[in-house]
Amino acid sequence: MDVISVIRTKRDHGRLTDEQIDWVVDAYTRGEVADEQMSALAMAILLNGMDRGEIARWTAAMIASGERMDFSFLPRRTADKHSTGGVGDKITLPLAPLVAACGAAVPQLSGRGLGHTGGTLDKLESVAGWRALLSAEEMRQVLTDTGAVICAAGDGLAPADRKLYALRDVTGTVEAIPLIASSIMSKKIAEGTGSLVLDVKVGSGAFMKDLAQARELASTMVGLGTDHGVRTVALLTDMSTPLGLTVGNALEVRESVEVLAGGGPADVVELTVALAREMLDAAGLPDTDPAKALADGSAMDVWRRLIAAQGGDPDAALPVAREQHVLTASASGVLTGLDAYGVGVSAWRLGAGRARKEDPVQAGAGIEIHAKPGEQVTAGQPLLTLHTDTPEKFGYALAALDGAIEISPPGTAHQAPPIVLDRIA
Ligand code: URA
């Protein structure tokens, strides 16, 4: 097998054979195929696509590049959730303990933020003492003791994807649907969950900017999961405006705790409960009511045990950034737009995110949102509070918000899109 013929096949709109796929994924993982060759192939895939059979084989090859986890020792059924990434998307934090409180086991292998979308592990690391890196034995123990675990994936899980994702990130080839679907699903299938709910974000703050693309990605992933024996459902959810009222690590933990205490912003509660219902249904527990577990404090109990089991102090004060800057409304009227991408980039520039994967993040940096689209605002009222430890970044962060806020004349009708746009099973 030679790599140039594999690249030429895809470059010339051909179909890769099973043997070509198995070989190229394995040879790239072992270092026999060079980064520049794999990036040419990734670009050919981005431009010319793959059919369902090719995507299935590519996913299987990435799973086979590493180890598979096994949770069959657990007395509970496993359910997992994956979000394609958004701005203010802290849903995993209340969701994992909530679903565990309702009787499923939630092995949640999560990632760090890169670019304008945040990562669950960065958020939880703002809790004093909390550890993202667990050994396989610790992970099993936390899951057995609390019903949930949220931690970093070990190096042995789909190593082909780890290498390929880093390459795509620097070669403009992240946005290929076959590559996104196989990347996400290879990790989820290797993780060994029995059921999976996908939260596919749609809108300016998401990878998928329009509904048609998001539907294609969702149905590709649902097909891959189902073919591998994982009960998989996808919700397409709105990411045109940030989720909730906070963007940034410690700020989002604070809001998640409010949700677990029975309060929190309506959109975060609605999405958390909708995803919990899907996870419980997929795990064969359709009769449990997640809204009740939020209201009666049982989800909060699991959260506290989960944080403590991973070394964190659930009662410790969360970090607060050293400096704040308040952005006020420039006019009176109806707030008709608060663009997720602009807010995400601004929070990232304040220090909530990283430009390279080895960069540190600021726990307290981010943005508090005081008004959401559809609300009446008065000139001079606070719209956003920007938080950072590096105030020299305020100008740069404010520049990202240029054009992100839209205020229309008083009385303008505004219909916010629903949170859940569609369901694909
Ligand atoms: N998340 C992943 O894990 N992989 C992708 O390709 C995109 C988002």
Side-chain angles (χ1 to χ4, degrees):
M1 198 72 73
D2 83 285
V3 65
I4 297 172
S5 69
V6 178
I7 297 168
R8 283 194 181 126
T9 303
K10 195 40 77 182
R11 182 197 67 188
D12 297 339
H13 301 266
R15 188 184 185 284
L16 300 179
T17 63
D18 289 354
E19 293 70 30
Q20 282 179 313
I21 291 172
D22 292 350
W23 177 80
V24 80
V25 170
D26 177 57
Y28 178 60
T29 312
R30 287 186 288 103
E32 193 183 312
V33 164
D35 277 349
E36 58 271 26
Q37 294 171 317
M38 189 50 120
S39 52
L41 180 59
M43 186 58 82
I45 292 170
L46 180 137
L47 295 172
N48 297 331
M50 275 179 159
D51 69 23
R52 181 148 172 190
E54 287 175 291
I55 301 173
R57 190 71 182 203
W58 188 277
T59 305
M62 295 221 290
I63 296 169
S65 72
E67 66 204 28
R68 289 186 77 153
M69 300 180 75
D70 178 12
F71 294 112
S72 56
F73 68 93
L74 286 169
R76 297 168 172 216
R77 303 234 183 116
T78 48
D80 193 6
K81 185 248 355 179
H82 179 85
S83 159
T84 56
V87 177
D89 182 4
K90 70 274 298 170
I91 299 292
T92 296
L93 277 58
L95 183 66
L98 172 59
V99 173
C102 293
V106 190
Q108 187 77 53
L109 298 186
S110 297
R112 294 181 188 282
L114 192 64
H116 74 281
T117 63
T120 298
L121 303 181
D122 294 329
K123 294 172 201 193
L124 282 168
E125 277 175 349
S126 57
V127 177
W130 187 86
R131 285 188 301 122
L133 288 176
L134 301 182
S135 67
E137 182 45 39
E138 283 175 315
M139 186 183 172
R140 273 194 288 272
Q141 197 62 52
V142 177
L143 193 53
T144 307
D145 293 348
T146 72
V149 64
I150 304 175
C151 61
D155 287 348
L157 203 81
D161 177 63
R162 189 176 307 271
K163 208 172 162 193
L164 181 57
Y165 189 77
L167 183 73
R168 288 165 56 212
D169 203 33
V170 293
T171 54
T173 51
V174 168
E175 294 89 347
I177 286 181
L179 297 178
I180 298 176
S182 55
S183 164
I184 292 173
M185 293 307 292
S186 62
K187 286 173 287 201
K188 290 291 156 185
I189 294 164
E191 177 196 299
T193 186
S195 57
L196 175 65
V197 176
L198 297 161
D199 180 2
V200 179
K201 300 280 182 208
V202 191
S204 72
F207 275 128
M208 298 291 124
K209 309 292 179 200
D210 69 67
L211 206 51
Q213 274 182 319
R215 272 205 189 95
E216 187 186 337
L217 176 63
S219 55
T220 306
M221 291 195 290
V222 169
L224 285 171
T226 308
D227 290 351
H228 281 87
V230 180
R231 284 219 253 169
T232 310
V233 174
L235 295 186
L236 304 190
T237 72
D238 180 56
M239 189 32 69
S240 57
T241 203
L243 200 50
L245 297 173
T246 57
V247 180
N249 302 308
L251 291 167
E252 293 191 42
V253 173
R254 189 190 78 196
E255 188 169 276
S256 303
V257 173
E258 287 166 14
V259 172
L260 287 160
D267 57 348
V268 180
V269 176
E270 181 185 335
L271 185 54
T272 304
V273 171
L275 289 165
R277 288 214 165 98
E278 294 289 353
M279 286 169 77
L280 293 165
D281 212 23
L285 296 161
D287 300 326
T288 37
D289 180 7
K292 191 163 159 284
L294 275 185
D296 70 13
S298 51
M300 177 67 102
D301 289 345
V302 177
W303 161 263
R304 293 178 61 81
R305 284 194 281 124
L306 172 61
I307 293 295
Q310 294 186 223
D313 176 359
D315 296 313
L318 289 163
V320 176
R322 277 204 298 277
E323 303 263 348
Q324 280 76 34
H325 175 93
V326 176
L327 181 70
T328 57
S330 57
S332 296
V334 181
L335 184 67
T336 43
L338 180 61
D339 180 61
Y341 183 70
V343 175
V345 172
S346 183
W348 174 61
R349 290 181 178 180
L350 289 165
R354 52 170 69 78
R356 290 169 308 163
K357 59 180 187 312
E358 54 281 5
D359 291 347
V361 294
Q362 292 178 29
I367 297 182
E368 271 179 287
I369 297 166
H370 305 296
K372 294 281 289 249
E375 289 181 29
Q376 300 282 336
V377 296
T378 309
Q381 87 167 63
L383 284 185
L384 303 174
T385 303
L386 280 56
H387 297 248
T388 186
D389 293 334
T390 40
E392 63 278 11
K393 303 257 181 73
F394 277 135
Y396 185 45
L398 285 166
L401 293 167
D402 274 352
I405 298 169
E406 186 184 276
I407 299 175
S408 301
T412 305
H414 176 77
Q415 185 64 51
I419 300 293
V420 178
L421 302 166
D422 203 353
R423 177 180 190 275
I424 294 183

